[in-house]
Amino acid sequence: MFSAEIKNFINTSNYPTFSPKAIFFDMDGVLFDSMKTHAYAWVEALKSFGLPFTEYEAYMNEGRTGSSTIDGVFNKVHGRNATEDEKQSIYRAKSKLFEASKQSKRIPHSLELLRKNQSQNLNIFVVTGSGQPTLLASLDEHFPDTFEKEKMVTAFDVSIGKPNPEPYLMALKKSGLQAWEVVVIENAPLGVESASKAGLFTIAVNTGPLEPKVLWESGANLVFDGMTELYNHWDKFSEVANINS
Ligand code: CA
């Protein structure tokens, strides 16, 4: 189990080896069980501006920056990008709806996986398209002693965002590691695409309503049916991937 996928990753990418020293975690849908609320907030906020958008579309667009999501809808409806003012009004409405109904529950076994990664001396990074001002505070609240400001890439750092490889390449640069020394954990098709295009080994955890097929098609090296399944296989994966245990 896993050795075929790892061998395939090394060969396809033409890397000398695969020897993970850091894990890059996406945030929403991987650490926080927040995607349902995000999807709801997007649908309602866009509706209030006369823009049709479904929850399924929210999941398919997950990982994009707010700005890029709004441009996508505008182009479909009005055939143009949104203005900065329009973007700010819509994003403010969306954030307000999200804050009002958020519960910020942890995804089951996300904390346990992080603790295991820490015990393996793996470096932990967060790479998210989210631009919530209280991001680090809510991470600290739910995952104490885990994340550091210097080891984060958020919507404030990037100019393009997922599915462009930019955020993951930025995290790679911050880490000072080689591409074959990193594992990415993502839940969204566009996030998987971003990480995979950055040349990183990408594990998809399917925590939402999408078919696993779309995660494979986006370039995932492994797909698990949620975080608990990944956690249950982590020791085996570590053994095959030569991660310290
Ligand atoms: Ca996500």
Side-chain angles (χ1 to χ4, degrees):
M1 203 185 231
F2 306 134
S3 52
E5 289 86 354
I6 290 173
K7 207 175 278 175
N8 185 42
F9 170 74
I10 296 172
N11 291 341
T12 321
S13 319
N14 215 359
Y15 291 153
T17 183
F18 177 57
S19 133
K21 297 184 169 47
I23 313 289
F24 293 177
F25 283 88
D26 168 53
M27 188 176 75
D28 289 301
V30 166
L31 300 174
F32 287 133
D33 189 5
S34 45
M35 267 315 295
K36 258 202 174 88
T37 315
H38 278 296
Y40 154 82
W42 272 122
V43 170
E44 291 305 314
L46 287 164
K47 196 200 283 174
S48 69
F49 286 83
L51 298 158
F53 196 67
T54 64
E55 291 203 4
Y56 194 84
E57 283 178 284
Y59 281 97
M60 289 303 288
N61 279 282
E62 183 189 345
R64 282 192 203 283
T65 60
S67 164
S68 160
T69 301
I70 294 165
D71 274 342
V73 182
F74 257 77
N75 275 293
K76 235 165 89 182
V77 178
H78 298 303
R80 63 166 175 89
N81 283 346
T83 65
E84 277 312 309
D85 278 356
E86 287 165 335
K87 280 180 190 173
Q88 279 189 16
S89 310
I90 296 171
Y91 197 69
R92 204 177 301 131
K94 187 257 165 182
S95 300
K96 213 169 145 189
L97 283 161
F98 178 77
E99 289 301 321
S101 47
K102 83 164 176 187
Q103 294 156 330
S104 283
K105 282 182 304 189
R106 285 193 298 251
I107 291 272
H109 284 97
S110 53
L111 180 63
E112 289 82 352
L113 182 63
L114 284 162
R115 291 295 178 252
K116 195 179 268 273
N117 295 163
Q118 286 175 309
S119 77
Q120 295 174 305
N121 288 319
L122 292 165
N123 255 302
I124 292 167
F125 281 72
V126 172
V127 183
T128 177
S130 174
Q132 296 169 59
T134 57
L135 202 118
L136 185 57
S138 57
L139 279 169
D140 276 345
E141 184 189 335
H142 291 87
F143 305 92
D145 306 317
T146 311
F147 298 103
E148 297 164 45
K149 204 168 184 282
E150 301 71 40
K151 296 181 181 176
M152 293 177 68
V153 172
T154 74
F156 300 111
D157 300 299
V158 299
S159 53
I160 315 168
K162 304 171 187 178
N164 190 281
E166 178 196 29
Y168 280 106
L169 290 175
M170 204 174 261
L172 187 63
K173 200 171 168 199
K174 281 193 185 195
S175 74
L177 296 170
Q178 301 291 336
W180 55 85
E181 296 176 314
V182 169
V183 171
V184 173
I185 303 178
E186 263 286 354
N187 73 306
L190 299 182
V192 169
E193 189 184 329
S194 166
S196 168
K197 280 186 179 156
L200 306 178
F201 191 92
T202 309
I203 296 178
V205 287
N206 195 13
T207 58
L210 304 178
E211 292 289 322
K213 189 170 80 118
V214 303
L215 296 165
W216 287 114
E217 286 169 356
S218 301
N221 298 97
L222 290 170
V223 178
F224 289 93
D225 187 21
M227 205 58 162
T228 301
E229 206 202 7
L230 171 59
Y231 178 77
N232 290 337
H233 286 89
W234 189 261
D235 286 343
K236 182 69 198 167
F237 177 75
S238 299
E239 192 188 311
V240 181
N242 292 310
I243 297 175
N244 329 311
S245 42

